[in-house]
């Protein structure tokens, strides 16, 4: 994954085209409470192994993607459009 | 040792002669020579000095692994230190110099280190040079630094060009030796897109010097025939002089092509080097194997070289490495070497086989079975060797010694992605990790030991790959191989006891050093490497690492498997900065963004300044103005008194569409946007989720479902990414879409009391305050309907002001018209500097204040933060103790008590009379400028409880400039606090 | 055995066969007063100062790999104390002072070399930021000088001043900054700690943390259970993994930072220099290699290796700064795993679990911090109170809103 | 207002570089570039998109999910733009980028290898056929590429970057 990301809209593209944001964590509901918000903004599981991460195809289709991959091997399991992922988690 | 050009043979072009110099002496060679072969042909045996003891050294290898023959080639901007003579192709006029010697290669003062060697054992420097402490930097270290290092790099800029290319293929074959050729041929015939890369100038690998034959053809001729067929296949790209240096994630390989290294300067239009990023569906490593040296006393004397190198010099380059050549081996490679050399007409005087009971099928005057070389002698070159054997010791003359210590498959690339090599007792070598997705090894890189095996493995692996990729093809078949001499059994012979035996030639690491490392607790392979520096030279231990591991294993009484290897990391061989940089040099380091009003600014004599990637007009000097301050002061005054025109096209601009655009903006800004009326602009503040301010700007509602946002120049790209993040991941249900229109609009600020009158000349509709009040935003017709633009009544200067956006291409024409219309009113062009002064005078903030650590409250925007909205980005962290701490630095104005005194941005604020300590630090000046309006330097500052301290005297402290200025805190709004001018 | 010129001479005469081992290879005891997880620079320094400053010698350092295998063994060796914020500045200056006396203190030549650290600036805004920083340093008595373009040119005439995309306008110099032979720091601390009775146990991986009644009582390891009164975690790069053993989630992400070394060259550049218009910094080691690096790759990773795009990015910035670098060859690259914290600053603190102490979040500033980190962590473990210079490095600062954000980038680790 | 000449200053006032038999770089007329952004969940038919174009081949170019560029050589007045934008009604927004993006044609047998010097996209015809598009990078500059012929490509670049792209292409052109 560190060299090429298979954008679901554009195909395999080099890392240079992307902006990486970090863990694909879900934003809490407004009334979720202090602990939930603190955890969202500051705490990270930081797993060694499978991991979902936000990448933005800045120099391509400008879609935000969720890249699922392994932090030990850089093997990629899948790249999905973040809006679709958000839709799934909602339904 | 006497090396010489053989009367015949080799792949050099004897019909042409090339002149070159080595340490100033004129010598000659032939096309096809490397610098190393040409030096040997000229009987130049001493070619370099080692790193630590400055021992005389000669050529050891014939390829990329060379540890000794490092030279500096070229001059001025083309000077290249540490070039391996074995890889430098000879060309006419080549200038090469030896390194790490003074005053000369023959008489090197540094060689005295050799006498001190008992005191210079591994890691000795960690134990001394500590007293007195101040002597380290003054005395010891400068001496060490001068003594260390190899060649000298140039300080002249490189005159040559470099470039980078992407390539895609089905199959990348690394190495064009027998295995690689067989693989490429198989895949090429099947129709796959193949890239075949080889680091050498001539493809063929070991076929270029192998004495075996294939299907009755000599090996070299066989290679030529396969290459001829490959040339007919349009789907096969052969890349020579191209080193595949790294295997990265997702089957991306890095390769460096030495496009012009073989000529004195690049041909017209050609780069010096080319970096390839090769995206391959599959790859086959056909990288061959590295022959290992043997570690015995005196093994570093010039004249001692690898057996395959000696054969290669004879058969490929037509060079005899000696008149009396001895061979020392721990396998059948010894007999094979002796036979090959003899076949080339070279006199072999002895064969020393470390094994017992392996009769040699070769006739040599002296054959020692179960013998080892236990010593060498000669001044700066080999003269004689001593052989220890069951019957005692023999010493006899030999001027070259060919050593064969077994083979290490070149598995580097296969290990670049974290796989660990496996020790094989059968091979007495490390093999590549198993289970490498997409990459396989074949031939001697995979442990094959004969030419026949290499050919069939290469073809078979390629056939499997192409089948996997959906092509149909069969493994290429070749005729019988004749004269293939397998290595036979290999005796593990990690070192021969006795005197100084070198493991790492370049870094002068001996068997004793490794033993010392083990005794002192550095027995782990990584610690031993770091403590002794074995394997850390420019050859990265290609010849030494496995021997070092064997020696460590012996010392620890374990198997090499247990010792393991250090990590193989890119690069396989060193890669130049030039290749990695490509064409992104000098002015082209980064692209330049030009405003559509760049040409207009040029006409007005602008001085430009880099702002991120943008080039912005900074100020516009007029005749007679000799200092920038004169121009800026004039521009500021003109805006305050008449009018000015400023290019603000670099501000980020975003068109926001959609039924939910208003709701969206309401969530991304901390202040309210849902009810912004059509035709109105509003200042907006964006926070990060941690509650700190992210960016600011104005957003206008052009239509019910169409907004126009401006951002700061610095964060234009960041804000766009952020908005897309919010829209796509947080609230995908909202109908909101964004298009950046930064480049679509030439945007100009027209500011000053006379701006309305000037603008009215080109705007068709009435600009009265009633019709276009403060914060109006609308599409307007210009020049009697010739053009449409967008007009916003907003102000950064505090004056009556507008921003006008017109399609970028028309920007210059419109600016020209405005300047013409404004001329009677005294309009001037003003730049980023004056813009800065005007906004500081008005107390407006930029990213000098919005530095990522300030809250809305800190900047006096506390009341803008909505208390009503249920949610917006940044809302939920705002109430934290640290964000509402009364002691936080907050925005305040600052002036010198004495208007004659000035201060600078970055000065700190101390309470009057307080000692200058960190504890007493109360804040700092974020922005400052000379204000023509106030008549002194003024500043904005973030100061503890600043807004509560207007009128308090403080010290503006700038130790870097030696300035301590008495000052006073004040309202940051220095001009027109009641905003009458703004609303005029 | 004390190291000195004399000992080198005498041992040399005896064929170097009498050198004692620099440290023992002990088997773990059943129980210690303090167990430190992580035999990198910070762990070893902590052990050293526990023994030396606080007389706590019944200490074990557990290292899952070889001694110094972590980021102490893979960094770019720079030391400096040119920090802006009051939470950081005194701590890094303490570190600098410890560096200045370190070699005599632990009797090991780590080649502390104060050849200066120069940060170049290319815009007025950068100059202003460095003015603020340099003055903050001076307020704490730290050396700082603001150089203009000509002063920089005089020191480094071979940089690109006239043809550059982003011309150099000056720089902030800390003359006392410099570099140190990184491995030797680990070895010096290890030897010094071992000499004072600390057990350094290599190839001993901690697999679990045992708690009884809510208190930590010991660790499960590949060499069996080891009991302890106090457990100190110093596993930067893998802190999140270690903390997970006690169900703690930390404000950290692990990122890969690549670094590089060129082939050995005769003296080329004397001081440490950072480029202000791209991600590049460089110094030259005593062996002659140019040691350089740039930005982190940007993604979460434990793989200890990076990607080619970042290499290219670093090389481009390097040549932009020094055009003649073009012909210099890069020998080797490596990747270290960084604990990137949410504000770019570290954590030295107790945890909510009794007897458990945490040292983490060093981002890519861990090497220069090694002495002060060990010193302050030892102080915390021994006295129960944070050291005066490390008071800001609390774990609760994120929740309370007292972050130490030098770059002002907010809670996104890859931007720090 | 006295006489006003509505002159548009071209972003790339350059003559073509190179010859068509090998590789040629040419700045195309600054006509129109419309950026179409479909409303969430709305399908825009190819016919609808084509109705915005000038009828030439490859006038409509896919950019991203639900987004297209519609390009042509003729400049559009505000009225024409508004009329076109209204055609898709609430289904899509149309942002006028006629001045924001500049077109450059790269053509000839060497076009592919010139592009390979900056683009990571695989331009082999089997993967990137005539009509295919890609938003990508050329070296450090964002571009949108359309294959308009076997040996012909059009690049769309932000106006402020156009000059730098031109220089990058020209430098890399050297060999051809």
């Amino acid at each position: 994954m560190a060299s090429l990301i298979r954008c679901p809209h554009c195909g395999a593209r080099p890392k240079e085209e992307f902006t990486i944001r970090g863990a694909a964590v879900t934003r809490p509901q407004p009334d979720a409470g202090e602990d939930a918000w603190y955890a969202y903004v500051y705490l990270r599981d930081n797993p060694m192994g499978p991991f979902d991460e936000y990448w933005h195809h800045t120099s391509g289709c400008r879609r935000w993607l969720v890249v699922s991959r392994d932090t030990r091997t850089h093997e990629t399991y899948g790249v999905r459009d973040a809006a679709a992922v958000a839709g799934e988690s909602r339904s | 040792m006497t090396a010489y050009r053989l009367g015949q043979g080799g792949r050099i072009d004897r019909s042409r002669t090339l002149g070159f110099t080595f340490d100033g002496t004129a010598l000659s060679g032939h096309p096809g020579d490397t610098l190393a072969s040409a030096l040997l042909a000229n009987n130049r045996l001493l070619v370099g000095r080692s790193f630590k003891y400055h021992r005389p050294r000669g050529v050891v290898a014939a390829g990329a692994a060379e540890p000794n023959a490092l030279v500096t080639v070229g001059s001025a901007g083309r000077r290249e230190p540490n070039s391996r003579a074995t890889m430098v192709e000879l060309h006419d006029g080549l200038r090469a110099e030896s390194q790490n010697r003074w005053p000369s290669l023959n008489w090197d003062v540094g060689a005295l280190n050799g006498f001190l060697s008992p005191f210079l054992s591994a890691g000795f420097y960690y134990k001394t040079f500590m007293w007195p402490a101040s002597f380290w930097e003054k005395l010891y270290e400068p001496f060490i630094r001068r003594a260390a290092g190899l060649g000298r790099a140039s300080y002249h800029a490189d005159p040559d060009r470099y470039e980078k290319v992407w390539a895609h293929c089905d199959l990348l074959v690394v190495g064009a030796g027998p295995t690689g050729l067989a693989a490429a041929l198989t895949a090429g015939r099947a129709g796959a897109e193949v890239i075949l890369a080889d680091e050498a100038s001539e493809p063929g690998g070991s076929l270029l010097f192998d004495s075996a034959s294939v299907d009755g053809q000599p090996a070299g001729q066989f290679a030529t025939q396969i290459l001829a067929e490959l040339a007919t296949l349009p789907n096969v790209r052969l890349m020579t002089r191209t080193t595949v240096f790294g295997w990265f994630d997702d089957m991306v390989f890095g390769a460096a092509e030495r496009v012009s290294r073989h000529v004195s300067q690049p041909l017209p239009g050609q780069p010096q080097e080319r970096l390839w990023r090769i995206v391959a569906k599959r790859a086959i490593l056909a990288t061959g194997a590295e022959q290992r040296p043997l570690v015995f006393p005196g093994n570093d004397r010039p004249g001692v070289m690898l057996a395959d190198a000696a054969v290669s010099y004879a058969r490929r380059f037509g060079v005899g490495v000696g008149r009396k050549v001895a061979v020392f081996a721990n396998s059948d490679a010894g007999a094979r070497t002796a036979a090959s050399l003899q076949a080339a007409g070279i006199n072999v005087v002895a064969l020393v086989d470390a094994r017992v009971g392996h009769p040699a099928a070769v006739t040599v005057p002296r054959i020692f079975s179960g013998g080892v070389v236990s010593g060498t002698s000669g001044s700066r070159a080999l003269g004689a060797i001593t052989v220890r054997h069951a019957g005692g010791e023999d010493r006899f003359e030999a001027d070259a010694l060919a050593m064969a210590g077994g083979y290490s498959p070149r598995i580097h690339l296969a290990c670049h992605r974290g796989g660990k090599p496996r020790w094989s007792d059968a091979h007495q070598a490390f093999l590549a990790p198993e289970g490498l997705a997409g990459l396989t090894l074949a031939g001697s890189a995979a442990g094959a030991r004969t030419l026949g095996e290499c050919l069939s493995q290469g073809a078979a692996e390629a056939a499997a790959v192409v089948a996997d990729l959906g092509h149909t093809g069969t493994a290429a078949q070749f005729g019988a191989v004749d004269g293939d001499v397998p290595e036979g059994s290999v005796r593990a012979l990690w070192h021969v006891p006795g005197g100084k035996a070198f493991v790492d030639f370049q870094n002068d690491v001996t068997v004793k050093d490794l033993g010392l490392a083990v005794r002192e607790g550095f027995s782990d392979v990584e610690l031993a490497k770091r403590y002794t520096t074995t394997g850390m030279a420019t050859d990265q231990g290609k010849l030494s690492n496995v021997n070092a591991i064997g020696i460590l294993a012996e010392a620890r009484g374990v198997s090499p498997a247990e010792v393991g290897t250090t990590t193989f990391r890119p690069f396989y061989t060193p890669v130049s900065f030039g290749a990695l940089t490509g064409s992104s040099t000098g002015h082209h380091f980064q692209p330049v963004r030009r405003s559509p009003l760049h040409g207009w600014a040029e006409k007005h004599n602008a001085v430009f300044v880099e702002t991120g990637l943008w080039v912005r007009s900074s100020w516009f000097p007029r005749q007679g103005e000799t200092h920038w301050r004169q121009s800026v002061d004039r521009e500021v005054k003109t805006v305050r008194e008449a009018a000015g025109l400023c290019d603000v096209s670099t501000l980020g601009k975003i068109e926001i569409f959609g039924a939910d655009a208003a709701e969206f903006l309401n969530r991304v800004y901390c202040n309210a946007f849902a009810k912004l009326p059509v035709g109105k602009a509003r200042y907006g503040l964006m926070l990060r989720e941690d509650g700190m301010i992210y960016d600011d700007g104005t957003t206008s509602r052009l239509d019910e479902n169409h907004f126009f946002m401006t951002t700061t120049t610095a964060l234009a790209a960041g804000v766009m990414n952020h908005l897309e993040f919010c829209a796509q991941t947080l609230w995908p249900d909202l109908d909101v879409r964004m298009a950046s229109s930064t480049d679509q609009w030439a945007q100009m600020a027209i500011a000053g009391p006379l701006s309305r009158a000037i603008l009215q000349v080109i705007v068709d509709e009435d600009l009265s305050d009633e019709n276009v009040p403060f914060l109006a935003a609308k599409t307007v017709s210009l020049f009697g309907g010739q053009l449409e633009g967008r007009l916003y009544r907003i102000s950064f200067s505090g004056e009556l002001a507008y921003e006008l956006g017109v399609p970028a291409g028309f920007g210059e024409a419109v600016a020209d018209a405005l300047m013409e219309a404004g001329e009677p009113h005294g309009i001037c062009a003003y730049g980023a500097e004056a813009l800065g002064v005007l906004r500081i005078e008005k107390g407006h903030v930029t990213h000098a204040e919005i530095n990522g650590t300030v809250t809305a409250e800190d900047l006096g925007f506390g009341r803008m933060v909505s208390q009503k909205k249920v949610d917006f980005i940044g809302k939920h962290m705002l109430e934290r103790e640290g964000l509402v701490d009364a002691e936080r630095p907050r925005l305040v104005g600052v002036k010198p008590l004495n208007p004659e005194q000035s201060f600078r941005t970055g000065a700190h604020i101390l309470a009057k009379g307080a000692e200058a300590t960190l504890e007493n630090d109360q804040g700092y000046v974020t922005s400052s400028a000379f204000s023509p309006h106030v008549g002194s330097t003024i500043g904005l500052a973030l100061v503890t409880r600043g807004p509560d301290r207007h009128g308090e005297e403080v010290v503006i402290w700038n130790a870097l400039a030696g300035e301590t200025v008495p000052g006073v805190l004040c309202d940051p709004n220095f001009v027109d606090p009641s905003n009458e001018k703004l609303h005029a | 055995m004390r190291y000195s010129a004399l000992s080198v001479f005498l041992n040399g005469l005896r064929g170097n066969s009498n050198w004692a081992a620099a440290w023992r290879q002990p088997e773990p005891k059943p129980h210690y007063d303090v167990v430190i997880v992580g035999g990198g620079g910070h762990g070893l320094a902590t052990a050293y100062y526990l023994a030396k400053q606080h007389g706590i010698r019944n200490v074990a350092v557990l290292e899952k790999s070889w001694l110094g295998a972590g980021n102490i063994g893979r960094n770019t060796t720079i030391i400096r104390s040119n920090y802006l914020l009051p939470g950081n500045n005194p701590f890094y200056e303490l570190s600098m002072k410890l560096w200045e006396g370190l070699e005599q203190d632990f009797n090991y030549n780590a080649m502390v070399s104060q050849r200066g650290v120069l940060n170049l600036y290319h815009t007025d805004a950068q100059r202003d930021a460095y003015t603020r920083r340099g003055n903050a340093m001076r307020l704490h008595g730290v050396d700082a000088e603001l150089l203009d373009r000509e002063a920089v040119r005089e020191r480094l005439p071979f940089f690109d001043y006239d043809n550059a995309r982003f011309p150099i306008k000056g720089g902030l110099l800390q003359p006392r900054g410099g570099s140190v032979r990184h491995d030797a720091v680990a070895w010096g601390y290890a030897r010094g700690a071992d000499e004072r009775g600390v057990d350094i146990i290599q190839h001993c991986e901690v697999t679990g943390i045992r708690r009884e009644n809510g208190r930590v009582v010991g660790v499960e390891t590949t060499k069996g259970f080891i009991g302890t009164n106090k457990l100190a975690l110093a596993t930067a790069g893998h802190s999140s993994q270690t903390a997970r053993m006690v169900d703690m989630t930390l404000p950290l992400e692990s990122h890969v930072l690549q670094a590089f070394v060129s082939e050995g060259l005769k003296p080329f550049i004397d001081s440490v220099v950072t480029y202000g218009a791209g991600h590049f910094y460089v110094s030259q080691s005593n062996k002659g290699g140019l040691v350089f690096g740039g930005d982190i790759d940007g993604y979460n990773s434990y793989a200890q290796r990076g990607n080619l795009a970042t290499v290219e990015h670093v090389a481009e910035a390097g040549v932009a700064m020094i055009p003649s670098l073009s012909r210099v060859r890069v020998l080797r690259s490596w990747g270290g795993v960084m604990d990137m914290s949410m504000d770019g600053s570290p954590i030295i603190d107790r945890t909510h679990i009794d007897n458990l102490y945490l040292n983490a979040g060093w981002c890519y500033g861990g090497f220069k911090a090694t002495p002060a980190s060990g010193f302050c962590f030892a102080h915390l473990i021994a006295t129960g109170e944070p050291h005066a210079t490390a008071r800001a490095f609390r774990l609760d600062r994120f929740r309370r809103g007292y972050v130490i954000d030098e770059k002002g980038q907010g809670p996104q680790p890859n931007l720090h | 207002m006295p006489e006003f000449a509505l002159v548009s200053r071209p972003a790339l006032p350059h003559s073509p570089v190179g010859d068509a038999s090998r590789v040629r770089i040419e700045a195309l007329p600054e006509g129109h570039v419309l950026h179409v952004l479909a409303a969430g969940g709305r399908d825009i038919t190819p016919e609808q998109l084509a109705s915005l174009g000038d009828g030439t081949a490859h006038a409509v170019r896919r950019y991203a999910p639900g987004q297209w560029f519609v390009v042509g050589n003729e400049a559009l007045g505000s009225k024409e733009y508004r009329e076109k934008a209204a055609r898709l009604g609430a289904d899509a927004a149309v942002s006028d980028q006629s001045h924001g993006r500049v077109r450059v044609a790269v053509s000839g047998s060497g076009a592919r290898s010139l592009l390979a010097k900056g683009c990571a996209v695989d331009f082999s015809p089997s993967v990137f056929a005539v009509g295919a598009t890609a938003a990508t990078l050329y070296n450090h500059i964002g571009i949108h590429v359309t294959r308009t012929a076997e040996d012909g490509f059009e690049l769309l670049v932000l106006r402020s970057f156009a000059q730098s792209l031109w220089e990058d292409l020209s430098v890399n052109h050297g060999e051809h």
Side-chain angles (χ1 to χ4, degrees), chain B residues 877-900:
Chain B
M877 292 277 112
L878 279 176
E879 300 305 320
R880 288 180 295 161
E881 186 186 341
L883 273 70
V884 296
D885 192 327
E887 297 296 306
R888 287 183 68 84
R890 293 165 64 193
L891 188 73
V892 67
V894 60
K895 292 188 287 201
L897 273 184
N898 173 359
E900 300 298 310

Side-chain angles (χ1 to χ4, degrees), chain B residues 585-935:
Chain B
T585 59
H587 280 295
H588 294 279
F589 166 52
Q590 293 280 305
V592 175
R593 293 186 80 174
R594 279 196 185 80
S595 157
L597 295 176
H598 192 88
W600 167 81
E602 274 178 331
K603 283 191 296 204
H604 291 272
N605 200 27
V607 172
F608 291 97
V609 65
E610 292 80 16
T611 309
L613 294 182
W614 289 100
V615 173
R616 289 177 76 181
S617 38
S618 196
W619 66 87
F620 296 84
R622 285 191 179 167
Q623 207 152 29
E625 292 172 348
T626 54
H627 191 273
W628 65 272
R629 265 281 308 283
Q630 294 173 304
S631 311
V632 174
D633 287 358
R634 171 186 49 76
E635 290 170 20
V636 169
K637 276 192 232 164
T638 307
V639 172
R640 293 259 179 253
E641 288 159 14
L645 192 161
C646 183
D647 177 11
V648 293
S649 303
T650 62
L651 293 177
K653 306 180 208 69
I654 303 169
E655 312 282 334
I656 302 175
F657 303 98
D660 299 317
E663 171 61 21
F664 176 76
L665 289 167
N666 214 37
R667 296 187 195 180
V668 296
Y669 279 126
C670 72
N671 49 325
F673 266 83
K675 293 184 180 138
L676 180 69
V678 172
K680 275 289 188 186
R682 180 170 292 172
Y683 178 71
L685 209 54
M686 252 179 232
L687 308 186
R688 296 188 312 230
E689 286 285 22
D690 67 348
M692 301 296 172
I693 305 179
Y694 180 53
D695 198 40
D696 68 346
T698 56
T699 290
S700 308
R701 192 168 203 164
L702 299 176
D703 206 338
E704 187 60 25
N705 296 334
H706 181 193
F707 290 78
F708 174 74
M709 177 186 284
T710 64
T711 75
T712 59
T713 301
L715 279 186
V719 168
M720 185 71 182
N721 290 3
H722 171 65
L723 296 182
E724 286 168 330
F725 177 79
C726 294
Q728 294 171 23
T729 75
L730 302 184
W731 310 304
D733 299 340
L734 296 185
D735 173 30
V736 59
R737 288 151 276 156
M738 270 113 16
S740 167
S741 62
T742 303
D743 289 61
Q744 167 68 15
W745 300 102
Q747 192 94 347
M748 44 211 118
I750 303 101
L754 306 182
S755 56
R756 179 181 289 130
I758 295 166
L759 204 52
Q760 189 69 75
V761 178
I762 72 159
V763 176
D764 297 339
E765 66 188 86
D766 172 28
L767 290 180
S768 66
D769 193 51
E770 297 72 50
N771 200 35
V772 183
F774 183 56
L775 293 178
K778 52 169 44 174
T779 297
V780 292
S781 165
L782 306 170
F783 306 111
Q786 287 189 73
L787 188 63
E788 268 186 11
R790 290 180 183 172
L791 186 69
Y792 315 87
R793 184 161 164 205
I794 52 178
S795 173
F796 201 38
S797 58
E799 298 298 324
L800 168 68
Y802 304 82
E803 281 186 21
L804 176 66
V806 297
F810 297 120
E812 188 168 339
V814 172
D816 286 346
L818 281 169
M819 293 302 281
E820 197 183 322
E823 210 196 336
H825 301 279
I827 196 172
C828 78
Y830 69 103
E833 282 293 331
L835 187 74
V837 176
L838 290 160
R839 70 95 188 168
I840 294 170
E841 286 184 334
K842 190 63 190 166
H844 282 157
V845 295
T846 65
H847 278 289
E849 287 75 32
I850 303 177
N851 60 19
T853 65
V854 297
T855 64
E857 183 68 36
D858 295 342
L859 297 187
F861 296 133
R863 279 185 304 166
M864 279 179 68
V865 181
S866 169
Q867 301 297 319
K868 289 188 198 149
K869 291 196 276 185
V870 179
D871 190 16
F872 57 84
I873 299 283
K875 177 181 169 73
H876 308 281
M877 292 277 112
L878 279 176
E879 300 305 320
R880 288 180 295 161
E881 186 186 341
L883 273 70
V884 296
D885 192 327
E887 297 296 306
R888 287 183 68 84
R890 293 165 64 193
L891 188 73
V892 67
V894 60
K895 292 188 287 201
L897 273 184
N898 173 359
E900 300 298 310
Q901 286 194 299
S902 70
F903 57 85
R904 302 175 207 207
T905 306
H908 284 238
I909 303 293
L910 300 170
K912 192 178 171 186
E915 197 189 338
T917 65
L918 200 58
E919 291 70 32
N920 290 336
D921 192 8
Q922 297 200 318
Y924 57 98
V925 178
T926 55
S927 303
S928 66
F930 177 80
S931 164
H933 180 80
V934 177

Side-chain angles (χ1 to χ4, degrees), chain C residues 319-362:
Chain C
V319 173
M321 183 166 97
I322 310 175
S324 69
L325 271 187
S326 180
R327 295 268 171 167
V328 171
R329 281 182 287 257
V330 185
L331 179 61
R332 183 177 169 86
S333 68
W334 63 92
V337 178
M338 311 287 129
D339 267 8
M340 295 302 295
S341 71
M342 284 287 167
D343 62 356
S345 295
I347 297 157
I348 301 178
D349 204 357
R350 285 184 294 260
T351 67
H352 68 282
I353 299 167
D354 279 353
N355 302 339
L356 184 65
Y357 299 81
L358 178 68
N359 176 316
W362 290 97

Side-chain angles (χ1 to χ4, degrees), chain B residues 130 133-134 137, chain C residues 49 79 81 92-105 112-114 142-143 174-178 180 189 371:
Chain B
M130 285 178 273
S134 62
E137 275 134 10
Chain C
Y49 291 116
I79 59 168
S81 56
Y92 285 99
E93 178 57 16
L94 169 67
S95 213
M96 183 59 83
K97 293 216 166 79
L98 289 169
W99 284 120
E100 287 171 330
L102 185 64
E103 296 156 303
Q104 288 70 30
D105 187 61
V112 175
S113 176
Q114 294 180 286
V142 181
D143 57 322
Q174 183 184 20
R176 284 159 69 237
V180 179
Y189 276 125

Side-chain angles (χ1 to χ4, degrees), chain B residues 163-166 168 274 584 588 592-594 657 737-738 740 743-744 761 783 786 788 807-809 812-813, chain D residues 4 6 8-9 37-39 82 93 96-100 116-117 119-120 140 159-161 163-164 167 175:
Chain B
E163 66 186 28
K164 300 186 196 176
V165 192
W166 284 91
H168 305 260
R274 192 178 278 139
S584 300
H588 294 279
V592 175
R593 293 186 80 174
R594 279 196 185 80
F657 303 98
R737 288 151 276 156
M738 270 113 16
S740 167
D743 289 61
Q744 167 68 15
V761 178
F783 306 111
Q786 287 189 73
E788 268 186 11
E812 188 168 339
Chain D
F4 171 71
L6 191 61
S8 182
R9 184 184 176 108
L37 304 99
R82 256 195 287 279
D96 186 4
Q97 297 281 341
S98 304
H99 288 249
K117 291 181 185 180
C119 288
H140 297 298
R159 184 185 199 91
S160 60
F161 283 106
Q163 176 63 26
S164 279
E167 288 169 15
E175 196 187 353

